[in-house]
Amino acid sequence: MRIAFLLNGETVTIDNPEPTRTLLDWLREDRGLTGTKEGCNEGDCGACTVMVTDAGGHRALNACILFLPQLQGKVVRTVEGIAGPDGALHPVQAAMVDHHGSQCGFCTPGFIVTMAASHAEGRRDHDDALAGNLCRCTGYAPIARAAKAAEGSPVPDWIAADRAAEVPASGAESGTWIAPVSADALAAWYADHPDATLIGGATDVGLWVTKGLQELTEIAFLGGCTDLRQVEKTDDGLRIGAAVTMSEMHAVIAPLYPSYGELIRRYGSEQVRQAATLGGNIANGSPIGDNPPALIALGARLHLRHGDVRREIAIEDFFLDYGKQDRAPGEFVEAVTIPAQTDRLRVYKISKRFDQDISAVCGGFRITVEDGVVRDARIAFGGMAATPKRATAVEAGLMGQPWTHETVAATWDAWEADFQPISDMRASATYRLDTARALLTRYFLADLGAETDVLEVGP
């Protein structure tokens, strides 16, 4: 078993790689590339950021939760490879010097790599791109100024060439892990190995290994299943493959459902969004996953596959109980479909930090009003129960009623019929319940045209 990729312009082959060996550990221990730092070791701080490139473009990813088999056929650059072969500084490196963007320097390699990846893609949304890189010395102002200053500089030849670089082919299958190149191949293998772990972006599974110290026996890496990364737009709606990343999801969703797009913009960090997949976020069944409330409110349906047998269910029916989903052994999420509809969706993520934080409460609302009367209501929440869950009692209290403040206020008791949230480190039960009630009022006021999306409060 062998994998192959390019590392800072050099072809690398690894025989029989341990499937859960992280790129971070391999870089530092086997290659002596210690510019890539270990900070949190869970994908939060960005000190370990590397640039991974293929035909789809340049991505900033967290090396601490990136497993070696995921690199097959890719081009990888660490901070040591951002400058040119002759030592010429990359424009973002020169700008960081000019704008005094580094002090202790521990986080600087990660910032440089993220900025280089963003620069290569011609991005200008520096606050979003850098939200996954934490700095406790310099602060962000000089770093953001450096990113801005480098905007007009051309992409260096050695970076631009990575996109078209040829990587030697290699087999990606062993006795314990497989990297299938199609959903058909995955379905056949998974049916015979129903206890295996499926890995899309590893943004969740990576922590099972680095923090939970789990030993995974059989693994399927899904990055090569290009048919699971397709998005199909029809008059009936959208079909989104399970392996579509959250960054790709944002590009599709934001023009159609801006509020959902804004939620995705706050999903993890840039490094996480570039790796995390829609199917993974749904299939892990987290009660605080951010996608399910929005998808439930949109009436999305989930497509499941076991071997050659396919079925589809409403996404809210997938979540049975905490840690339990309607998914048989050997069955996997193949796609999600969202029916075409007028945009009445608003999604609200409530968290202690605006960026890169787990939701305390996440609510999705889609309420249809005709002639001043509520004709349809779909409301769903994460963080309020053991699973993502619809507010069926609240919905019933709205249906057929005039769309007024009095109707909204009359649902007060219905919230307690729908949800009995717990208290934990993110929020108390009372806070969660009161916040959910307030978010319905917020939706109502926004529907009347009131300004409710205020991020800054001034005098």
Side-chain angles (χ1 to χ4, degrees):
M1 165 51 57
R2 173 179 294 178
I3 63 170
F5 56 94
L6 294 186
L7 174 64
N8 296 334
E10 172 192 350
T11 299
V12 172
T13 59
I14 305 176
D15 291 318
N16 301 315
E18 182 182 345
T20 56
R21 183 91 187 275
T22 67
L23 175 61
L24 174 64
D25 287 346
W26 180 83
L27 287 171
R28 294 180 62 85
E29 296 169 4
D30 291 29
R31 302 292 292 196
L33 295 174
T34 55
T36 306
K37 304 300 184 187
E38 178 179 325
C40 64
N41 208 24
E42 59 187 39
D44 279 342
C45 74
C48 68
T49 302
V50 295
M51 181 161 60
V52 178
T53 305
D54 54 24
H58 308 269
R59 295 181 292 160
L61 297 177
N62 291 308
C64 69
I65 50 173
L66 189 63
F67 298 131
L68 288 174
Q70 293 177 271
L71 302 174
Q72 168 58 36
K74 310 295 185 184
V75 178
V76 180
R77 283 194 182 270
T78 66
V79 68
E80 291 90 348
I82 297 301
D86 61 354
L89 291 182
H90 188 288
V92 301
Q93 293 175 307
M96 281 284 275
V97 173
D98 293 342
H99 291 270
H100 309 287
S102 178
Q103 284 189 24
C104 84
F106 188 88
C107 69
T108 303
F111 272 99
I112 290 294
V113 176
T114 297
M115 292 164 71
S118 184
H119 179 267
E121 292 295 305
R123 294 179 56 174
R124 301 292 185 266
D125 55 339
H126 305 304
D127 287 348
D128 287 347
L130 293 172
N133 292 84
L134 305 185
C135 175
R136 291 295 178 262
C137 298
T138 311
Y140 295 94
I143 298 170
R145 285 195 289 268
K148 180 71 175 175
E151 285 180 356
S153 301
V155 177
D157 293 343
W158 61 90
I159 299 293
D162 285 350
R163 193 157 183 166
E166 294 186 7
V167 182
S170 185
E173 183 174 351
S174 73
T176 60
W177 63 273
I178 185 174
V181 295
S182 70
D184 288 345
L186 169 63
W189 183 85
Y190 194 34
D192 292 335
H193 301 80
D195 295 326
T197 300
L198 305 187
I199 297 181
T203 56
D204 191 25
V205 177
L207 273 69
W208 301 1
V209 174
T210 64
K211 297 299 182 180
L213 304 181
Q214 293 189 29
E215 294 185 5
L216 307 181
T217 54
E218 295 181 306
I219 302 170
F221 292 97
L222 309 187
C225 296
T226 55
D227 50 351
L228 292 179
R229 296 191 65 174
Q230 302 301 311
V231 176
E232 182 182 1
K233 299 180 182 180
T234 68
D235 292 340
D236 295 327
L238 287 174
R239 179 183 172 93
I240 305 170
V244 168
T245 68
M246 293 313 301
S247 289
E248 295 164 339
M249 180 82 169
H250 180 266
V252 173
I253 289 294
L256 300 174
Y257 305 105
S259 182
Y260 189 6
E262 179 64 11
L263 174 78
I264 296 173
R265 188 176 72 85
R266 296 175 57 198
Y267 182 106
S269 65
E270 175 70 13
Q271 292 91 325
V272 169
R273 292 191 296 273
Q274 293 277 17
T277 63
L278 175 63
N281 185 241
I282 295 169
N284 70 12
S286 171
I288 51 173
D290 282 345
N291 281 293
L295 293 171
I296 292 171
L298 286 171
R301 297 188 67 79
L302 199 60
H303 298 259
L304 300 163
R305 179 175 181 179
H306 183 283
D308 293 328
V309 178
R310 292 178 169 91
R311 66 186 176 104
E312 66 173 86
I313 59 174
I315 191 168
E316 60 261 38
D317 295 335
F318 180 66
F319 307 103
L320 303 178
D321 202 347
Y322 183 78
K324 184 178 181 181
Q325 297 84 47
D326 182 6
R327 185 172 65 85
E331 188 175 41
F332 64 95
V333 177
E334 191 169 36
V336 176
T337 52
I338 301 174
Q341 57 201 278
T342 302
D343 181 22
R344 294 283 301 174
L345 177 71
R346 282 187 175 264
V347 190
Y348 302 110
K349 177 184 174 79
I350 307 301
S351 56
K352 291 184 177 181
R353 296 192 309 267
F354 182 81
D355 288 304
Q356 202 180 351
D357 201 3
I358 296 174
S359 296
V361 175
C362 183
F365 296 79
R366 183 173 65 82
I367 300 173
T368 303
V369 180
E370 297 176 359
D371 299 323
V373 176
V374 176
R375 299 302 183 191
D376 188 38
R378 293 185 67 90
I379 301 171
F381 271 85
M384 294 282 286
T387 65
K389 186 174 180 291
R390 282 183 72 174
T392 54
V394 175
E395 293 173 357
L398 295 173
M399 290 289 291
Q401 299 300 312
W403 188 225
T404 63
H405 181 74
E406 288 74 19
T407 294
V408 171
T411 65
W412 182 272
D413 292 336
W415 286 99
E416 292 189 60
D418 279 322
F419 301 109
Q420 298 81 46
I422 64 170
S423 296
D424 59 21
M425 61 174 21
R426 283 180 290 276
S428 68
T430 299
Y431 175 85
R432 286 186 159 106
L433 203 55
D434 287 348
T435 297
R437 291 177 172 127
L439 290 178
L440 177 57
T441 300
R442 182 176 175 181
Y443 180 98
F444 170 73
L445 292 174
D447 199 40
L448 296 183
E451 179 55 70
T452 61
D453 296 325
V454 178
L455 298 182
E456 296 184 8
V457 178

